[in-house]
Amino acid sequence: MASTTVRRELTLRGQVQGVGCRPWIWREATRRGLSGWVQNTPDGVRVSLIGPAQQVDDLVRALWEMPPPARVTHMDDAEVGPDKDLPQAGTPFEIRPSVTGTTAQRPQALWGPDLGVCPSCLAELCNPASRRWRHPFIHCPQCGPRYTLTRTLPFDRAHTSMAGFGLCPACQSEYSTPTDRRYHDQTQCCPQCGPQLQLWDRQGTPQSGDVIADTLARLLSGQIVAVKGVGGFHLCCDARQSDAVARLRALKRRRTQPLAVMVANPASAQQWAHLSGDEVRWLTSAERPIVLVPQNDAAKQHLPGVAPHLAWLGVMLPYTPLHHLLFHEAAGRPEGTAWLDQAHPLTLVMTSGNAAGEPLVISDDEAWQQLAPMADALLMHDRPILARNDDSVMRVRPDGSTCWLRRGRGWAPLPTPLCPAKAGAPRSVLALGAELKTTLCLTQADRHDAVEALVSPHIGNLHGAGTRSAMSELVQNWLVQRHTEPEALACDLHPDFFSTRLAGQLAHERGHDMRHTPATTTQPLPVIPVAHHHAHVAAVLAEHAADARSHEPVLGLALDGHGLGPDGQAWGGELLRVHGAQCERLGHLRPLLLPGGDRAAREPWRVAAAVLHQLDRGGEITARWPHQPHAAMLQSWLQTAPQPATTSMGRLFDAAAALLGLLDVQDHEADAAMRLESLASTAWPHLPPLPAAPGTRLDAPLPATLDWRPLMQDLLAHATQAGPAHAAARFHATLARDLAHWAGAHARAHSLGIVVLSGGCMANRLLDDALTQHLHAQGLEVWRAAHYPCGDGGISLGQAWVAHHTLL
C-alpha cells in the first residue's frame, strides 16, 4: 500500500549556517524523492518537506546526525495542512534565497566557527591538475572562516567580507550545480576571482615574484614576517634560529613569555614534544587549537628561546591554506597529500600579532602602524577581517578532557545552555568580565524559553586604551548583530575595573523608557556586581547547567592570583558554599602580607620576604636577596609598619618560586607559578608518597583558615636537603593533599557531595590532577572547567549565571 503523503515544516537551530547544511539537506531530500525547499533565516534553517511519510520521517531523523561541522540543537517540527501554499508533491526540491529579518527580530541563528582546512580541500590544494592548486584561500562548506568574516546573519555571501569578490564563471557553475560539493558555498572563490596575497617590505614596497617562496626564504634567512590570517595577524619567524626568536622577543617586549610554534603535522611535532593520543586528537581537530605538550630534550636544546624555563611547549598545526602552503613550499611542493603524514623540520614561531598591551591586530592600517616596526616584511591579503579571534590555547588532562587557557578561534562564540527563561526574569543579560583575560558574555532566550550564553573570544587585559576600545566596540557590534537590548548587566565587584565602569555607562545609555508618567523618563538598567570568586565557581556551574544538581548548593574551591572580596579585601584562596546567587565564605588561606601592595604581585621576592617574616625568619631577608637594594629596608619595614594582606593562592606560588631562587621579578602574569610547576614536574615522577593529612576530630571546630606556614617551612627544609626540584614537587603534592583534606572536611560537615575547582591556579596540571585524585578518594564528585577557561576568561560566563539566578 502506498505511503501517505505528508507536509512538514521544520526550523533547525544550532550550528546550521555556513557549514554546508542546506546543500546536504538538498541532496538527502532529492535522494529520497521529496519535494519542498530549504532556506536560511534569522531563526536558523527553515525546511519544508512534502512526500511519503516514511521518507519524510527518515530525513527528519537524519537531520539530527548531519555530518560535522553542522550540529542541530533544536528543531521545531509541525505538520501543515494541504491548504497552505507549499510546492506540490513530485516537484524538485530546491534551495530558496535566504530571508533577512527586520532589525526588531532577534536572530536565533548562530555564528559559524572558524575551522581549519578540510582533507578534501587539502587534496585540491596539492593537486597540480586542480584549478585551485596552491590557492591560499581554498575553502568549502565544511571548512574555513565563518565568525571572523560575518557581518550579519543569515550567513550569505552578501553578509560577509567576501561580498566584494564576485564569482568567476567556473566558480558560479560550481555554486549552481547541485551535485558539486561547493553547491551554495558562500565562501566560494578561486585564484581568478578570490582574495589575493601580497608581500610588502617594511618600507611599504610591494614585492614581485612568488609570494609564498619569497616569504619562506625570508623566514629561513632569519627575518620576521607579519602574516595576516583568519582572526588577526601573527608575527612569525623560524623557531630554530635563536637570534630571530630573541629579536622578536625584544621587538615585542616579551622577554620570557612562552611563544607558540607551528609544525606541519603530529609526526613533525614529535621531534620537539612527547604527545599522547588525546593530545594528537585535539591537535588534529578541525578547530586546530594550540595544545600545551611536554617538550623533550631536543626542544630545550634547539628551541631554547621559545618557552624558556618551562616544561611545556605550545604546539599547533597549520589551519589556513596559507599556512599549509608555507610547509608545502619547504617540502619541495610535492604532488598529492602523502607529505602531510611525513615529518618535516620546518618549525615556525606563530605568536599573536600585536604590540605590547594592545589588542590583536586585524586591519591593514593597524598592521602598518603596529607590526611594520617589528617585522621585516608583511604578508597580507585583501579579504577584510571583521572580528578578532585569537588562537585557542588548551592543555589536555589525563582523562582526555581539556583545561582552557584561552578560548577563541574554532570555538568562540558558540553557545552553551544556561538556564530556563522564567516569567518576570530577564531574557538577556550582558556580562562584562573582569580586568585580565577579559571576555564578554551575552545571554539570549530562544523560542523554546531556554537561555543560552554566548561567550566572546579572548579580548585581553584591559589596562591599555587599545584593548578597552576593542572591548567597547565588541559590545556594540554584538548587540547590533544579535538585535539585542540587554535587560540587565553584570560585572565584577571591583569598582576600578574598566569593565565595571563600562557596565555602569551602558546601564545609563541603554536604560529603559518609563512611560507610566506623562513625562517620559529613563530608568537605568539594573547592574549586578558579582564577587570575583563567586563568578569563578559559577562559571563551572554554568558548564554543568544541564545537570539539575548545578542549581543545588556546592562547595567551591576558588584559587587564583587576585580578586576583590565582598569585605573589600584581596581574596584568592577561598572555600565557598555556592547556591545560585548566594555565596558564603566558609574558609580561606591564611593571609599573606603584601609589602608594596600591587608591586609585590610583580616582584615575588617581596612576598617571599614577607613569608620569611611571618615564619619568624625575617633575619634571612637581606642574606637571601643581597642584590635587591630595598631588601634591608623591607626587612625593617615588615617589623614596624602595617602591610596590606591577601588570601591569594597565586601569591603563595610566587613566594615559593622566589624562595627557591627561580626569579625575583616576574616578566609576565603567572611567570613565577609556571616556572615553579615546570621545575616540580622534573621531580614529580620520583616523589615518594606523602604521609596522610592530619585527621580532623569530629568534635573539633572546622578549620576556617588553611595555614600555609608548615608548607613553607617544609619547602625551605627540603630545598636544602634534596634540592629545588624535589622541594617544588613536594610543595605541589603537599598543597594538593592539604587542600583536599580541608575541603573534604567542610563538604562532609555541610552535606555537600560536589566540589567545584576553579580559578587561574587550576591551570597548573600538577595541582589540578593531584587535588582531583585526593577529592575522589574521599568519595566526592569533582567538577572542573572543561569548555571555558578556568581563569578570568570564564568570569563573564559566571557573572551571567549569577545575574540570572539573582533576577529569577
Side-chain angles (χ1 to χ4, degrees):
M1 186 172 67
S3 178
T4 305
T5 296
V6 298
R7 297 163 177 258
R8 301 262 287 275
E9 281 200 348
L10 315 169
T11 299
L12 313 180
R13 299 188 183 90
Q15 199 169 304
V16 293
Q17 293 195 13
V19 289
C21 179
R22 290 177 298 168
W24 184 87
I25 292 173
W26 181 91
R27 286 191 291 271
E28 293 300 309
T30 301
R31 184 170 66 84
R32 291 170 172 84
L34 300 178
S35 300
W37 46 263
V38 59
Q39 68 181 166
N40 277 344
T41 77
D43 279 347
V45 170
R46 189 174 300 154
V47 187
S48 173
L49 298 174
I50 301 99
Q54 183 176 341
Q55 281 83 350
V56 170
D57 289 342
D58 183 48
L59 177 54
V60 171
R61 285 192 296 269
L63 291 172
W64 292 103
E65 304 296 334
M66 270 192 289
R71 181 173 59 91
V72 176
T73 57
H74 297 95
M75 183 188 300
D76 293 337
D77 183 358
E79 288 198 26
V80 296
D83 56 329
K84 188 156 185 181
D85 182 21
L86 293 175
Q88 295 297 313
T91 59
F93 196 87
E94 60 180 338
I95 296 179
R96 287 188 172 180
S98 297
V99 174
T100 301
T102 66
T103 56
Q105 184 179 4
R106 178 181 295 176
Q108 299 295 311
L110 300 175
W111 290 297
D114 300 314
L115 300 176
V117 190
C118 70
S120 296
C121 285
L122 283 176
E124 283 188 78
L125 186 75
C126 301
N127 179 6
S130 167
R131 67 189 190 89
R132 291 187 177 87
W133 157 252
R134 294 179 57 78
H135 174 44
F137 301 96
I138 188 171
H139 294 301
C140 74
Q142 275 69 50
C143 68
R146 295 295 184 268
Y147 170 70
T148 51
L149 54 69
T150 301
R151 184 170 284 108
T152 187
L153 294 170
F155 185 80
D156 283 311
R157 192 181 189 92
H159 299 156
T160 73
S161 58
M162 291 295 293
F165 301 94
L167 295 178
C168 67
C171 284
Q172 183 64 52
S173 175
E174 291 174 335
Y175 181 89
S176 306
T177 302
T179 55
D180 195 282
R181 75 184 191 92
R182 289 195 171 86
Y183 181 44
H184 270 262
D185 177 11
Q186 303 304 311
T187 59
Q188 164 84 315
C189 67
C190 74
Q192 280 66 50
C193 63
Q196 300 295 312
L197 284 179
Q198 180 66 67
L199 182 67
W200 306 77
D201 67 19
R202 66 192 311 170
Q203 286 76 35
T205 305
Q207 305 299 289
S208 59
D210 189 304
V211 169
I212 300 297
D214 193 353
T215 299
L216 180 65
R218 288 172 179 269
L219 291 170
L220 295 179
S221 70
Q223 291 191 17
I224 298 167
V225 180
V227 179
K228 186 177 182 180
V230 168
F233 279 76
H234 284 115
L235 286 169
C236 180
C237 71
D238 187 346
R240 298 165 298 175
Q241 299 191 42
S242 56
D243 288 346
V245 176
R247 189 161 68 92
L248 176 57
R249 285 192 173 281
L251 290 167
K252 202 177 176 186
R253 290 186 287 165
R254 192 171 176 173
R255 194 166 59 89
T256 64
Q257 191 170 354
L259 304 169
V261 297
M262 180 177 283
V263 293
N265 47 39
S268 304
Q270 296 285 0
Q271 65 186 315
W272 309 123
H274 306 290
L275 301 180
S276 70
D278 284 323
E279 287 166 342
V280 170
R281 175 172 60 86
W282 283 106
L283 275 172
T284 56
S285 67
E287 294 83 2
R288 288 292 200 270
I290 296 172
V291 180
L292 301 183
V293 295
Q295 58 176 311
N296 58 24
D297 291 339
K300 295 172 184 176
Q301 179 181 355
H302 298 292
L303 310 177
V306 173
H309 317 295
L310 300 183
W312 292 279
L313 181 68
V315 175
M316 64 176 158
L317 304 187
Y319 57 88
T320 71
L322 176 57
H323 295 151
H324 282 283
L325 288 176
L326 290 172
F327 287 94
H328 187 242
E329 183 73 25
R333 300 191 180 189
E335 180 179 342
T337 57
W339 70 279
L340 289 169
D341 297 321
Q342 301 162 3
H344 300 276
L346 181 64
T347 304
L348 300 175
V349 165
M350 285 280 184
T351 188
S352 301
N354 60 298
E358 294 295 322
L360 182 67
V361 168
I362 61 172
S363 77
D364 295 355
D365 289 343
E366 290 173 330
W368 285 113
Q369 293 169 10
Q370 292 187 37
L371 304 184
M374 292 186 277
D376 300 294
L378 291 87
L379 181 57
M380 304 171 75
H381 57 75
D382 54 351
R383 183 182 68 199
I385 301 172
L386 301 182
R388 289 178 178 82
N389 209 353
D390 213 338
D391 297 316
S392 295
V393 184
M394 64 167 66
R395 65 172 176 83
V396 183
R397 297 186 176 112
D399 64 2
S401 67
T402 53
C403 178
W404 293 82
L405 281 78
R406 186 170 72 203
R407 191 174 190 265
R409 179 187 47 76
W411 283 274
L414 298 179
T416 188
L418 197 67
C419 61
K422 296 189 177 180
R427 300 173 68 85
S428 179
V429 167
L430 177 64
L432 295 167
E435 189 79 352
L436 303 179
K437 300 182 176 67
T438 305
T439 58
L440 66 87
C441 177
L442 179 65
T443 68
Q444 290 183 296
D446 63 19
R447 300 284 192 268
H448 299 270
D449 284 333
V451 175
E452 292 185 325
L454 296 160
V455 179
S456 76
H458 169 83
I459 297 171
N461 298 343
L462 297 177
H463 299 320
T467 312
R468 293 179 176 185
S469 176
M471 168 79 160
S472 300
E473 181 181 344
L474 184 62
V475 168
Q476 300 298 334
N477 287 345
W478 268 34
L479 295 180
V480 170
Q481 290 180 16
R482 303 304 301 178
H483 303 324
T484 296
E485 282 296 330
E487 298 163 60
L489 296 121
C491 62
D492 196 272
L493 200 62
H494 201 302
D496 295 331
F497 283 176
F498 172 78
S499 54
T500 304
R501 298 197 302 272
L502 180 59
Q505 175 186 330
L506 291 170
H508 286 276
E509 290 178 354
R510 310 190 82 90
H512 299 298
D513 285 343
M514 307 298 290
R515 302 186 182 276
H516 58 278
T517 61
T520 299
T521 59
T522 300
Q523 178 70 33
L525 296 178
V527 177
I528 297 129
V530 181
H532 191 86
H533 300 93
H534 185 186
H536 268 313
V537 175
V540 180
L541 296 178
E543 286 196 27
H544 290 78
D547 191 322
R549 295 173 299 166
S550 66
H551 301 276
E552 299 173 358
V554 299
L555 186 72
L557 198 54
L559 310 173
D560 68 357
H562 173 81
L564 188 68
D567 61 356
Q569 301 301 308
W571 289 14
E574 311 306 318
L575 194 63
L576 308 171
R577 180 185 183 275
V578 174
H579 185 195
Q582 300 172 351
C583 180
E584 178 188 359
R585 192 187 201 190
L586 302 179
H588 55 81
L589 191 69
R590 179 186 176 89
L592 284 151
L593 298 181
L594 284 179
D598 289 344
R599 187 171 180 180
R602 299 187 297 271
E603 300 180 21
W605 79 272
R606 290 174 172 268
V607 191
V611 164
L612 290 176
H613 170 74
Q614 290 177 271
L615 293 176
D616 296 324
R617 298 175 62 167
E620 301 176 21
I621 293 174
T622 53
R624 281 184 176 270
W625 294 285
H627 50 284
Q628 290 292 344
H630 302 298
M633 183 176 66
L634 183 61
Q635 181 174 323
S636 174
W637 192 23
L638 285 165
Q639 295 171 338
T640 59
Q643 304 295 321
T646 181
T647 58
S648 167
M649 183 63 71
R651 297 293 81 80
L652 191 69
F653 275 89
D654 292 350
L659 287 171
L660 294 180
L662 301 184
L663 80 177
D664 290 352
V665 178
Q666 300 204 81
D667 177 62
H668 55 87
E669 185 191 0
D671 187 8
M674 291 163 63
R675 294 195 195 195
L676 183 70
E677 178 192 7
S678 293
L679 178 65
S681 69
T682 63
W684 189 259
H686 315 293
L687 190 68
L690 296 175
T696 301
R697 295 200 332 265
L698 294 178
D699 60 343
L702 284 173
T705 301
L706 183 66
D707 192 349
W708 47 261
R709 290 177 299 180
L711 174 70
M712 300 306 273
Q713 289 282 26
D714 187 77
L715 175 83
L716 292 166
H718 281 84
T720 301
Q721 297 167 10
H726 178 88
R730 186 177 171 91
F731 170 86
H732 280 79
T734 305
L735 179 60
R737 180 201 66 184
D738 293 350
L739 283 168
H741 172 72
W742 182 50
H746 280 270
R748 290 187 294 274
H750 292 87
S751 300
L752 301 173
I754 296 174
V755 179
V756 173
L757 303 181
S758 62
C761 290
M762 299 316 303
N764 182 311
R765 69 182 68 205
L766 302 182
L767 178 65
D768 184 23
D769 295 343
L771 180 53
T772 299
Q773 290 171 12
H774 282 299
L775 290 169
H776 281 161
Q778 298 180 59
L780 294 165
E781 188 171 352
V782 178
W783 286 1
R784 300 178 286 181
H787 302 289
Y788 294 87
C790 59
D792 284 6
I795 284 286
S796 65
L797 176 61
Q799 291 171 347
W801 168 272
V802 174
H804 274 279
H805 282 76
T806 300
L807 297 169
L808 284 177

